[in-house]
């Protein structure tokens, strides 16, 4: 079976993007759902299955049964087997030992060796609307309550500690347990264990084929070294390509130089000290408004997307959730100052500035609540600015419109100037 069936990568202005070259059969999606839901013929006659939504890696199908609703998510093979099996294991763990609201999984296939030819997860539908759909209509107090509920989720993830960096799996789902799991993990076939990393930084486009160790990683430095290798491989592939144009070659040569300079700074940002053992915790790095489901009163019902959620160093995990990350705005905007924009339906500057102001305030609410629930999280957040900057600099060494900031930040670091955050450049 072709493990890359249905997947191709298309080069675009901001980099390569995955595309579907084959569409999953709606008829087969329905048949698989019917079988695993154990529907009778009468129930099948009253059940509808339809396509609902397409994300970066997935197509979502709604399965509406009499008195019950489900979603079936079909995924591109960007990291065959590991992405699906890790998400299933992560949700399984959260259901067993936390109060984090997640969808209940009915069945899944972490192999494309099935009639659909794609991996899939069938789960109960969580009823409600996305926070993104409701955000503008929510009261201030409801927004604060939502932030506090997400804070509780993140505080619980912070308490799930492991001995290295990687992703969670059911032990029996790993092909070679001795190679892919942490030494200290249990070996029972149904236990949740720590295995190799499942991350866009490791599987994007040609990176899945790179000969690089994928974890578990014993330290931040080991994890970062692997990412350096992957990005250096990206540069080499372009520079060795017969089809690369002058702009591509110039971009990759510039990225190579930035990577070389940044690697020299690795020991100063992440000194090797065996006496200062690192801590690692489960981290969801993309809690967006699209993935938070709320009811009509604004109460959180579930966080529904858990793909590529990894065990990370606590400095990486202790960061503000993405759904309230905006530029700072400390003064509430006055709508009377935006009258010239009121008739512009495609771009309402006042709404954008109001959102920035509210999110600035909500970040304060988040940190206040986190200080109450997990003061260690806040302490880590406050002291990890340098590590986070290094991580972001590595991620953006070849990102258009951002790499110039990385270069200026590195100039300052190499010159030994008083430390400034990457975002200041």
């Amino acid at each position: 079976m072709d493990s890359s069936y249905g997947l191709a990568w298309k080069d675009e202005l901001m980099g390569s993007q995955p595309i579907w070259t084959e569409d999953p059969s709606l008829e087969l999606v329905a048949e698989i759902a019917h079988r695993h839901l154990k529907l009778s013929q009468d129930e099948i006659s009253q059940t509808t299955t339809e396509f609902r939504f397409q994300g970066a890696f997935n197509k979502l199908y709604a399965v509406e049964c009499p008195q019950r609703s489900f979603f079936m998510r079909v995924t591109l093979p960007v990291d065959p087997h590991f992405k699906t099996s890790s998400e299933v294991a992560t949700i399984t763990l959260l259901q067993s030992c936390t109060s984090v609201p997640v969808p209940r999984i009915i069945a899944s296939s972490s192999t494309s060796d099935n009639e659909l030819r794609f991996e899939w997860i069938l789960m109960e539908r969580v009823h409600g609307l996305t926070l993104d759909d409701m955000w503008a209509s929510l009261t201030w107090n409801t927004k604060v309550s939502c932030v506090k509920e997400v804070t509780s989720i993140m505080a619980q993830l912070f308490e799930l500690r492991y001995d290295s960096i990687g992703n969670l799996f059911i032990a029996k789902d790993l092909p070679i347990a001795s190679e892919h799991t942490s030494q200290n993990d249990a070996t029972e076939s149904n236990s949740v264990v720590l295995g190799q990393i499942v991350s866009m930084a490791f599987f994007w486009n040609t990176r899945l084929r790179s000969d690089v160790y994928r974890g578990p990683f014993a330290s931040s430095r080991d994890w970062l070294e692997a990412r350096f290798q992957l990005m250096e491989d990206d540069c080499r592939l372009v520079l060795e390509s017969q089809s690369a144009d002058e702009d591509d070659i110039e971009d990759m040569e510039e990225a190579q130089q930035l990577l070389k300079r940044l690697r020299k700074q690795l020991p100063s940002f992440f000194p090797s000290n065996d006496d200062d053992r690192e801590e690692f915790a489960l981290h969801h790095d993309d809690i967006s408004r699209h993935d938070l489901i709320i009811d009509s009163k604004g109460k959180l019902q579930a966080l529904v997307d858990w793909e590529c959620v990894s065990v990370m160093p606590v400095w990486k995990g202790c960061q503000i959730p993405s759904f309230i990350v905006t530029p700072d705005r400390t003064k509430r905007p006055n709508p009377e100052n935006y009258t010239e924009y009121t008739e512009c339906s495609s771009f309402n500057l006042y709404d954008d500035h109001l959102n920035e102001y509210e999110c600035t305030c909500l970040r304060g609410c988040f940190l206040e609540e986190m200080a109450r629930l997990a003061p260690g999280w806040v302490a880590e957040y406050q002291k990890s600015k340098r590590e986070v900057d290094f991580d972001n600099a590595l991620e953006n060494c070849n990102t258009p419109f951002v790499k110039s900031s990385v270069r200026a930040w590195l100039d300052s670091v190499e010159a030994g100037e008083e430390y400034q955050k990457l975002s200041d450049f």
Side-chain angles (χ1 to χ4, degrees):
M1 181 66 69
D2 181 6
S3 63
S4 63
Y5 173 79
L7 170 65
W9 293 88
K10 181 180 180 181
D11 290 332
E12 297 183 355
L13 178 62
M14 297 298 291
S16 58
Q17 297 294 323
I19 60 172
W20 295 78
T21 60
E22 302 288 342
D23 281 324
S25 163
L26 183 61
E27 180 180 347
L28 288 176
V29 168
E31 288 181 8
I32 293 169
H34 297 165
R35 183 167 68 248
H36 286 280
L37 293 172
K38 300 179 180 179
L39 301 181
S40 67
Q41 285 301 316
D42 183 55
E43 288 175 316
I44 290 174
S45 68
Q46 301 176 65
T47 297
T48 61
T49 302
E50 62 180 17
F51 170 76
R52 282 294 179 86
F53 176 77
Q54 178 173 325
F57 307 132
N58 309 296
K59 289 180 182 283
L60 189 68
Y61 298 83
V63 182
E64 298 290 344
C65 305
Q67 301 178 347
R68 296 185 296 168
S69 300
F70 303 88
F71 279 136
M72 185 160 168
R73 204 181 70 201
V74 181
T75 187
L76 283 170
V78 290
D79 194 350
H81 175 72
F82 292 104
K83 186 173 80 69
T84 298
S85 58
S86 177
E87 181 171 9
V88 170
T90 301
I91 292 176
T92 299
L93 176 79
L94 293 172
Q95 287 176 322
S96 69
C97 64
T98 74
S99 62
V100 174
V102 294
R104 186 171 74 90
I105 294 176
I106 306 300
S108 65
S109 174
S110 58
T111 174
S112 59
D113 189 12
N114 57 53
E115 65 266 49
L116 191 61
R117 300 187 69 182
F118 290 100
E119 299 174 27
W120 52 266
I121 299 176
L122 177 64
M123 63 190 77
E124 282 188 342
R125 178 178 180 178
V126 178
H127 288 280
L129 293 172
T130 68
L131 184 60
D132 188 62
D133 290 332
M134 297 287 288
W135 187 257
S137 64
L138 296 179
T139 66
W140 171 252
N141 287 339
T142 303
K143 291 178 180 179
V144 171
S145 294
C146 287
V147 167
K148 288 184 176 180
E149 289 181 293
V150 173
T151 309
S152 174
I153 291 174
M154 295 180 64
Q156 291 183 70
L157 299 184
F158 181 66
E159 297 302 321
L160 296 175
R161 298 304 178 93
Y162 296 86
D163 64 354
S164 48
I165 298 167
N167 273 61
L168 301 177
F169 299 90
I170 305 297
K172 64 182 179 182
D173 290 337
L174 289 176
I176 308 174
S178 61
E179 177 182 344
H180 292 283
T181 59
S182 170
Q183 293 286 330
N184 295 337
D185 281 326
T187 57
E188 292 82 358
S189 63
N190 289 319
S191 62
V192 176
V193 299
L194 190 66
Q196 71 177 61
I197 195 83
V198 179
S199 162
M200 287 188 286
F202 281 77
F203 65 60
W204 202 260
N205 200 348
T206 58
R207 292 184 183 182
L208 190 63
R209 300 191 295 273
S210 290
D211 183 19
V212 60
Y213 180 66
R214 296 174 185 273
F217 300 98
S219 68
S220 294
R221 285 187 65 166
D222 291 346
W223 171 59
L224 292 164
E225 285 283 7
R227 290 171 56 199
F228 269 111
Q229 182 180 336
L230 287 164
M231 296 190 71
E232 289 162 354
D233 286 349
D234 288 346
C235 296
R236 190 189 70 255
L237 285 173
V238 172
L239 293 174
E240 293 177 353
S241 172
Q242 298 298 317
S243 60
D245 60 27
E246 290 184 4
D247 289 340
D248 291 335
I249 292 172
E250 182 179 349
D251 286 344
M252 289 302 107
E253 288 177 341
E254 182 181 12
Q256 275 187 328
Q257 288 302 312
L258 285 176
L259 288 166
K260 184 177 180 180
R261 292 171 61 190
L262 189 61
R263 188 190 279 272
K264 288 182 179 179
Q265 298 298 324
L266 183 60
S268 63
F269 279 78
F270 296 90
S272 179
N273 186 348
D274 294 336
D275 295 329
D276 187 16
R277 188 171 180 82
E278 283 193 82
E279 295 184 86
F280 310 99
L282 192 62
H283 169 51
H284 195 309
D285 70 347
D286 187 25
I287 300 180
S288 76
R289 296 177 190 176
H290 295 284
D291 298 321
L292 293 164
I293 308 300
I294 61 174
D295 65 16
S296 59
K297 296 182 179 179
K299 183 172 177 56
L300 182 64
Q301 300 300 296
L303 174 53
V304 296
D305 184 2
W306 291 88
E307 66 180 0
C308 303
V309 170
S310 306
V311 174
M312 285 279 117
V314 290
W315 62 260
K316 173 73 171 175
C318 294
Q319 303 302 319
I320 302 293
S322 60
F323 81 101
I324 54 171
V325 172
T326 63
D328 287 337
R329 184 169 294 276
T330 57
K331 185 177 180 180
R332 186 182 184 90
N334 183 346
E336 294 181 359
N337 297 332
Y338 296 80
T339 54
E340 62 184 292
Y341 297 99
T342 55
E343 296 181 0
C344 180
S345 59
S346 62
F347 181 71
N348 192 320
L349 188 61
Y350 170 73
D351 287 345
D352 281 355
H353 287 178
L354 178 61
N355 181 61
E356 291 175 359
Y357 168 75
E358 289 187 340
C359 285
T360 299
C361 297
L362 288 170
R363 290 194 291 275
C365 296
F366 170 86
L367 290 171
E368 182 179 345
E369 179 69 1
M370 188 62 84
R372 185 182 70 83
L373 296 176
W377 191 104
V378 177
E380 193 65 41
Y381 166 76
Q382 292 172 338
K383 71 179 184 180
S384 61
K385 306 300 184 184
R386 281 170 49 89
E387 292 87 348
V388 171
D389 279 348
F390 189 96
D391 176 53
N392 288 332
L394 175 58
E395 187 67 26
N396 291 290
C397 274
N398 194 36
T399 302
F401 315 118
V402 181
K403 60 184 177 182
S404 59
S405 297
V406 174
R407 187 186 312 110
W409 175 78
L410 266 173
D411 290 342
S412 175
V413 170
E414 291 170 342
E417 297 173 358
E418 183 179 354
Y419 188 77
Q420 292 180 268
K421 295 184 297 183
L422 177 60
S423 58
D424 292 336
F425 290 88

